[in-house]
Structures are given as C-alpha cells and as structure tokens.
C-alpha cells in the first residue's frame, strides 16, 4: 500500500483541495478531501488529474512529424506521404517505433491509448507467419511503455469511393486488407485481451468498407467497442451521397453499427440529421483538433453533438503533437472560433472528455476517475512552471502543456517520475526507431 496527499485533485465531483488517498493492489482506496497529510504520505504539489485517454492514435504517423506540414496540399496529398511510411514497417521496426511513441504519450500524461490499427500484413497482402504479428507488436510496445491499450483492429476492404463506386485496393492498401469481413473476423478472434489490453474493432471508413459489408461487420462486432472515421472530409461525404444517396452516418446507422459502444472519429462535416442520429443512439465522437487543423479538415460541431447527447473524447491521431492539454484546448478554442462565444464547455466537461469518457469509449468499464475502487491511474501537473505559475488550479487545463506533467501512475505503478519515463531517454528511443523505419527497404 502507498499513501498520497495532493494539494489539489480532480475528483468525479470536480476539483477538490487537500485530497488524501491510498493505492492498494493498484486501485484507489480511502479517497478523502480536506484531509491533513500524515507521516509517510507522498506529498504531491500541483494538480492531480485522472489518467488521460488518447482515444485515437495511429502510432506510425509519428514518423511524419516535422516533415509534412510546410508543403501545402491537402488531406489527400498528405495521405500519399503517410502511405509511403507504411512501406518501411515490419513487426520489429513497428514495435520499436510504437514503444517510443507510447512512452512519449506517457510523458504527456496519457495512461490509455486507442490504437486504430490497420497495418496488418506484408506487401501484397501476404500474411506474416503470425497473422497478428503487427498487432502483437503494438500490444507489447504499450506494455513496455507502461500504458493501457485498446487495439482497435480495423477492417479495410476497398481502395476508396467515387461517385461511380468503390475503387480496388492499391499496392499499399493491400497490406491493410483481409479480403472480406469473415477473414478479418477470423484473424481478430485470435487476439486476446489481458489486464492492460482490450481488443476492439474499427471500420476504417465507408470509403474503405462497402455498404454490403457493413451489416455483416455490425453482426460480428455486436457487443464490442467499434470506432470509425466518419465525415472527416467533404469529398468523402460527396462521394457517399453520389453513390449511395446517403451520408456516411446514415450508412452506418442503417447497418446497425451505431450503438452506445460506437465512436465516430472526427465527425467534422455532419448534417443536422447526422448529429441527431449519433445523439439518438448515444454514441461517442472523438475529436482530434491538432490533426484536424494541421490537415485543414475543418471544425466539427462539438457543442451541437454534446447537446444532442453524444459523449466527446479526444485523440492525437497523426501526432503532429502529442499533448492532450492542447487537444482539450482545441476542443474549446475551435468552438470559440466557430461561434464567437467563450466558455463553450465547462472545465469539468473538458476533463471528462480527456479522461473518463475516453476510457469508456475504449472499452474500459473502469478508469479515468479518481474514486474508491477505481484503477489508480493518475497524473500530477506542476503549478510552478513557466506555463502554469499563477494559474488557478481549476483552470490548469487552459495553461498546462505536456511539459508540465511530473508524475504518471498506471495501475498503481509509477511510469513517469520527475518528468522522466522509466524507459529512460525517450527522445533517443524515438530517434533510433525513426531512423530504422526510414532506412528499412
């Protein structure tokens, strides 16, 4: 058992002062507010937050940071550069890169990540001897980095969609595909959850999964966590409307995929009917503000979705930065830009999006909250840095950055202390793994 005393802690009821708690067998116990520290307590000076959830990640996109932002173009031209990275990834290079990326997330206070995983096979769709070798590489990488993982194994069957129909897979996309829903489901069935890993499912998009495959996919994923890219680009909406006479959200709804376990990633270009559908089914929407602005995707209707009953979560997606505080601020600040109003979300709403609702959207029935019996996943943010000095504790989400994270604990185990990860030099791990990816042929 370890005992802690925190100056400030974000509890389910909001920010509290002088909070004392124990960690017993990896779980919170005896959480009390306005408690005096006792001998033997580890005193935490700053603001203690529940573990942060990164609900949408593509780990290999980290190889693009600082290399794709200054050349103009749009989402589709950026995608070609992203595809080029996949040619250099093997289970070994992917493991090394993902371990470094997940460690970088831990340094930023992220304690659980949803990895939207579609890089399954070798070139020309040849299976590795272990058909889930790439997925297992991600699982082991997260375990070594000390973060929880939901592997969102992704179904990817077509090369795109135009007004005339679906395109065949190109030579890069063949690595992503199992051929059909049955083959995909058979491969995924061999993946096993454990204490720090959940296995979910994903529809890459209605561009990549034709309508006649959506209903079978809904049937084999019933009762499971399911994510999908939804209406990220106007071009996606236009092609879907031209060929199917419906929006992507309507296609997913008609197939039976919209449930309380479903998360629409991006949800940027929705119609009012789309918003109502997502709300009526009590789904979740995952916003990735730093990616959506980097790729010039647009600003999604976050407040309207929340008002319709949709839970909101956050992701760093392509990892132009890995900073959940920046994503939190993006959710609010993008709304301010679109509405000309401030305070579109309360601090408590933003905290839920960054923590407990992210956990739930990733299939974790527990976590993301500081309360008795919950997994002891928590983050300490300093209040004496150049970023946070002078900030009110209740407004730390508006001033802190990833560099202000001092301590990260997952399941009661210290992963980051004094802003240092237990793996050591994470920048060195990133440098080495990125070099190996770029040199591999």
């Amino acid at each position: 058992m370890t005992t802690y005393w925190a100056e400030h802690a974000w509890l389910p009821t909001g920010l509290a002062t002088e909070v004392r708690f124990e960690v017993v067998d990896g779980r919170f116990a005896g959480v009390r507010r306005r408690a005096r520290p006792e001998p033997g307590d580890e005193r935490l000076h700053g603001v203690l937050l529940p573990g942060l959830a990164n609900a949408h990640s593509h780990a290999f996109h980290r190889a693009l940071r600082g290399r794709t932002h200054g050349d103009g173009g749009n989402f589709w031209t950026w995608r070609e550069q992203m595809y080029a990275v996949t040619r250099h990834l093997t289970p070994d290079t992917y493991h090394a890169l993902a371990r470094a990326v997940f460690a970088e997330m831990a340094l930023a206070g992220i304690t659980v990540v949803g990895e939207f995983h579609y890089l399954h096979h070798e070139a020309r769709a040849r299976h590795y001897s272990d058909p889930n070798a790439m997925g297992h590489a991600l699982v082991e990488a997260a375990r070594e980095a000390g973060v929880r993982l939901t592997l969102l194994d992704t179904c990817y069957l077509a090369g795109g969609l135009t007004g005339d129909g679906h395109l065949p897979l190109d030579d890069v996309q063949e690595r992503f595909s199992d051929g059909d829903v049955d083959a995909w489901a058979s491969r995924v069935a061999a993946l096993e959850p454990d204490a720090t890993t959940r296995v979910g499912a994903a529809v890459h998009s209605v561009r990549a999964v034709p309508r006649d495959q959506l209903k079978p996919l809904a049937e084999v994923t019933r009762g499971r966590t399911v994510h999908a890219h939804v209406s990220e680009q106007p071009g996606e909406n236009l092609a879907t409307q031209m060929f199917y006479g419906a929006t992507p959200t309507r296609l997913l709804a008609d197939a039976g995929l919209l449930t309380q376990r479903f998360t629409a990633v991006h949800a940027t270009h929705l119609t009012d009917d789309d918003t109502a559908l997502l709300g009526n089914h009590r789904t979740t929407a995952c916003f990735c503000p730093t990616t959506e602005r980097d790729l010039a995707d647009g600003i999604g209707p976050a407040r309207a979705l929340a008002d319709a009953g949709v839970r909101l979560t956050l992701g760093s997606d392509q990892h132009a930065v890995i900073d959940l505080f920046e994503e939190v601020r993006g959710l609010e600040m993008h709304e301010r830009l679109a509405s000309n109003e401030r305070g579109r979300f309360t601090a408590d709403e933003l905290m839920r999006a960054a923590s407990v609702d992210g956990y739930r959207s990733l299939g974790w029935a527990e976590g993301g909250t500081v309360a008795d019996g919950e997994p002891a996943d928590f983050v300490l943010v300093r209040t004496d840095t150049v970023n946070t000095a002078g900030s009110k504790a209740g407004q730390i989400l508006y001033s802190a950055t990833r560099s202000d994270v001092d301590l990260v604990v997952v399941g009661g185990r210290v992963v980051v202390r004094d802003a240092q990860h237990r793996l050591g030099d994470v920048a060195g791990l990133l440098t080495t793994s990125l070099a190996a990816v770029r040199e591999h042929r």
Side-chain angles (χ1 to χ4, degrees):
M1 180 181 74
T2 307
T3 60
Y4 295 89
W5 178 89
E7 281 184 313
H8 307 279
W10 217 297
L11 304 183
T13 53
L15 188 72
T17 58
E18 298 180 316
V19 175
R20 188 174 186 273
F21 61 93
E22 302 167 355
V23 173
V24 181
D25 295 330
R27 292 181 177 270
F28 290 111
V31 178
R32 293 185 292 121
R33 63 180 67 204
R34 297 201 176 281
R36 292 185 177 182
E38 299 181 12
D41 290 351
E42 182 173 343
R43 300 190 183 195
L44 305 178
H45 297 287
V47 181
L48 185 141
L49 305 178
L52 303 181
N54 186 350
H56 189 67
S57 163
H58 301 287
F60 74 88
H61 288 192
R62 177 61 178 81
L64 300 172
R65 184 186 298 175
R67 305 172 74 87
T68 64
H69 314 296
D71 300 329
N74 55 27
F75 169 86
W76 306 103
T77 53
W78 167 87
R79 191 179 73 160
E80 293 305 311
Q81 298 176 79
M82 180 267 288
Y83 277 178
V85 174
T86 69
R87 299 179 186 275
H88 307 299
L89 288 166
T90 67
D92 288 341
T93 60
Y94 204 11
H95 168 263
L97 176 58
R99 181 179 65 164
V101 173
F102 294 152
E104 182 183 358
M105 291 183 193
L107 286 172
I110 292 164
T111 53
V112 63
V113 56
E115 183 64 25
F116 201 101
H117 169 54
Y118 54 83
L119 186 55
H120 301 306
H121 309 299
E122 295 186 81
R124 300 295 181 186
R126 293 190 301 270
H127 284 212
Y128 291 103
S129 56
D130 169 7
N132 285 304
M134 295 295 264
H136 286 145
L138 292 166
V139 170
E140 184 59 28
R143 184 177 294 117
E144 293 175 16
V147 299
R148 301 183 191 274
L149 173 74
T150 296
L151 186 69
L152 297 163
D153 197 290
T154 304
C155 188
Y156 199 122
L157 304 177
L161 179 64
T162 72
D164 296 321
H166 286 274
L167 301 172
L169 298 163
D170 64 25
D171 63 334
V172 174
Q173 294 167 327
E174 287 179 338
R175 290 194 71 178
F176 311 159
S177 183
D178 291 287
D180 58 36
V181 168
D182 288 342
W184 170 83
S186 177
R187 178 180 55 75
V188 175
L191 291 165
E192 295 286 345
D194 58 36
T196 59
T197 305
R198 298 289 182 269
V199 179
V203 182
H204 180 272
S205 61
V206 298
R207 292 180 284 110
V209 181
R211 180 168 63 180
D212 63 359
Q213 296 294 298
L214 291 175
K215 189 171 183 178
L217 191 55
E219 291 172 354
V220 300
T221 59
R222 186 167 288 115
R224 296 176 61 184
T225 298
V226 180
H227 288 216
H229 295 125
V230 178
S231 292
E232 182 177 3
Q233 288 290 318
E236 172 186 321
N237 285 1
L238 179 61
T240 307
Q241 191 70 51
M242 289 176 64
F243 187 65
Y244 288 119
T247 65
T249 301
R250 171 54 68 183
L251 289 182
L252 294 165
D254 289 348
L257 281 159
L258 298 192
T259 72
Q260 293 185 25
R261 296 175 180 268
F262 178 83
T263 295
V265 180
H266 300 302
T268 307
H269 302 282
L270 302 178
T271 66
D272 290 344
D273 286 344
D274 292 338
T275 299
L277 273 173
L278 292 169
N280 290 341
H281 287 89
R282 293 296 183 261
T283 66
T284 299
C286 180
F287 279 63
C288 306
T290 63
T291 291
E292 287 147 9
R293 65 180 179 230
D294 179 63
L295 298 181
D297 286 345
I299 298 173
R303 186 68 259 176
L305 284 164
D307 290 343
V310 176
R311 295 178 301 276
L312 301 182
T313 62
L314 297 162
S316 62
D317 194 4
Q318 62 143 331
H319 315 311
V321 297
I322 294 178
D323 188 336
L324 256 289
F325 300 99
E326 186 67 17
E327 305 297 346
V328 162
R329 284 193 289 275
L331 187 67
E332 166 67 19
M333 300 307 170
H334 288 187
E335 270 285 324
R336 294 184 184 190
L337 288 173
S339 68
N340 295 323
E341 295 180 1
R342 302 179 79 210
R344 299 286 283 170
F345 293 97
T346 67
D348 283 337
E349 286 177 313
L350 295 174
M351 191 70 255
R352 283 191 63 89
S355 57
V356 63
D357 284 345
Y359 268 76
R360 300 300 178 267
S361 78
L362 294 173
W364 294 86
E366 300 176 302
T369 185
V370 180
D372 286 357
E374 292 283 325
D377 297 359
F378 61 90
V379 177
L380 182 67
V381 180
R382 291 176 55 182
T383 52
D384 60 353
T385 71
V386 294
N387 297 315
T388 61
S391 294
K392 293 180 177 180
Q395 295 193 24
I396 199 71
L397 294 179
Y398 302 98
S399 60
T401 72
R402 55 167 296 159
S403 65
D404 304 310
V405 171
D406 193 56
L407 175 72
V408 179
V409 175
V410 181
R413 296 182 178 181
V414 174
V415 177
V416 173
R417 184 180 290 279
D418 298 328
Q420 298 297 311
H421 195 279
R422 68 187 190 187
L423 289 178
D425 180 11
V426 175
L429 293 176
L430 285 163
T431 299
T432 301
S433 61
L434 288 165
V437 168
R438 291 170 184 146
E439 291 171 3
H440 180 268
R441 292 293 184 270

